[in-house]
Amino acid sequence: MKHKISVLAIWFLLDQFSAAVPQGHATPIPETKPLFDLNGIGFVEGVDVPSAKPQPEKAVPKQKNQQTAISENSCIIPNAEFEELEPVSGAIREGQLNDIACGISDPVRLESVSAVGHKIEFSSPVTVSCKFAKVVAEWLREDVLPLALNNLETSVSVIQSGPGYQCRRRNNLPDGKLSEHALGKALDISHFKLGNGTIISVEDDWGKRTKESKFLDRIHAAACKRFTTVLGPEADPNHKSHIHLDTGCHGQDCTYIICQ
Ligand SMILES: [Zn+2]
């Protein structure tokens, strides 16, 4: 296993302790908390609403012996800290739709991505499919971090996002197609905390004549080369507070890109 399977309680990460990783037994799922206080604002539209203090998920980490047994199929995400989970389906948080059509066969809880000596942490780990996590990690490593270093002269240290997996339909409607969030193939990002402490808000900084706004434009454009759906504040009012990224299939051969 090349990646670092982290079974650290997340508050160890948040407090920036380093500690020995307990191995070889099932680990209780830690309760998580945001790395920086957004005064409970975060997401305000009615679609992707993580609680200010995320609820613990009913997603179960794989035990070490199970990881060994399926090592041929294990998830590999270079330079990332993540935890492989048992397959999930239906609701894993209170308030979610409990539809068996929702689920991820290869879920991971992605905690951070590192490149060129910089670590980008998620304010709370995100639960997504292994394949989707790889795309997110590549975008962060190869686009987001270099764009920040080159244009803002600082790194990106924390990403405030939704939880990733959510069993629900598109736009939280009672009927209609399942959201890509329900398949672990989507993520919503609302804020970027930079290495110098600055917080860039999608809602507040989008569309302005500032370097922060230009940064958001650039990472949005870069995302359109990696994801099949990228929806920012110009897409519709549902996305005024965040950038939605997913790898859903559009068109008959899944090559159509929605970049708004
Ligand atoms: Zn979304």
Side-chain angles (χ1 to χ4, degrees):
M1 299 288 285
K2 291 182 181 174
H3 64 256
K4 179 181 175 186
I5 302 268
S6 174
V7 291
L8 293 179
I10 186 61
W11 50 80
F12 282 9
L13 270 180
L14 299 178
D15 291 336
Q16 300 183 334
F17 287 125
S18 63
V21 179
Q23 299 279 348
H25 58 274
T27 309
I29 299 169
E31 191 171 341
T32 56
K33 60 183 179 180
L35 265 185
F36 52 93
D37 185 10
L38 295 169
N39 298 318
I41 297 172
F43 293 55
V44 291
E45 44 81 27
V47 178
D48 299 293
V49 186
S51 54
K53 185 178 182 184
Q55 300 157 353
E57 296 174 348
K58 295 173 191 162
V60 181
K62 284 180 176 173
Q63 294 185 24
K64 195 182 179 195
N65 59 345
Q66 291 169 304
Q67 286 169 349
T68 303
I70 55 123
S71 59
E72 294 279 311
N73 299 319
S74 287
C75 181
I76 296 173
I77 310 172
N79 300 316
E81 284 185 297
F82 65 98
E83 186 174 17
E84 293 182 79
L85 305 175
E86 294 289 352
V88 297
S89 65
I92 63 169
R93 290 166 185 261
E94 280 180 34
Q96 288 184 354
L97 187 69
N98 198 12
D99 188 324
I100 57 167
C102 301
I104 316 174
S105 61
D106 59 342
V108 297
R109 186 183 283 125
L110 181 61
E111 298 172 0
S112 71
V113 174
S114 297
V116 291
H118 300 284
K119 183 174 184 176
I120 304 176
E121 289 181 84
F122 287 91
S123 55
S124 292
V126 296
T127 301
V128 292
S129 73
C130 170
K131 196 173 174 186
F132 183 80
K134 286 182 188 179
V135 182
V136 172
E138 286 171 7
W139 175 64
L140 293 176
R141 262 199 326 267
E142 297 173 19
D143 296 335
V144 174
L145 184 58
L147 285 168
L149 292 170
N150 292 335
N151 297 289
L152 302 174
E153 295 171 350
T154 185
S155 62
V156 175
S157 60
V158 183
I159 288 186
Q160 178 85 20
S161 74
Y165 178 74
Q166 293 171 290
C167 186
R168 64 171 173 80
R169 304 189 195 286
R170 286 185 185 172
N171 294 332
N172 252 1
L173 295 172
D175 300 303
K177 292 188 78 169
L178 283 178
S179 165
E180 293 299 327
H181 286 280
L183 304 173
K185 297 194 289 188
L187 183 65
D188 300 317
I189 296 177
S190 64
H191 298 78
F192 298 83
K193 185 174 183 182
L194 305 180
N196 64 10
T198 302
I199 292 176
I200 298 181
S201 156
V202 172
E203 181 161 16
D204 296 339
D205 291 308
W206 186 272
K208 296 186 175 163
R209 292 170 167 266
T210 60
K211 60 185 180 184
E212 289 81 11
S213 177
K214 190 73 184 164
F215 170 74
L216 291 175
D217 283 347
R218 286 177 167 133
I219 61 164
H220 180 283
C224 293
K225 295 187 168 68
R226 298 184 184 275
F227 300 90
T228 55
T229 315
V230 180
L231 302 173
E234 290 172 31
D236 59 49
N238 285 331
H239 296 88
K240 68 174 186 175
S241 66
H242 65 278
I243 298 173
H244 166 100
L245 308 168
D246 79 49
T247 53
C249 173
H250 307 299
Q252 284 193 330
D253 54 3
C254 300
T255 55
Y256 188 72
I257 308 287
I258 297 175
C259 176
Q260 297 175 344

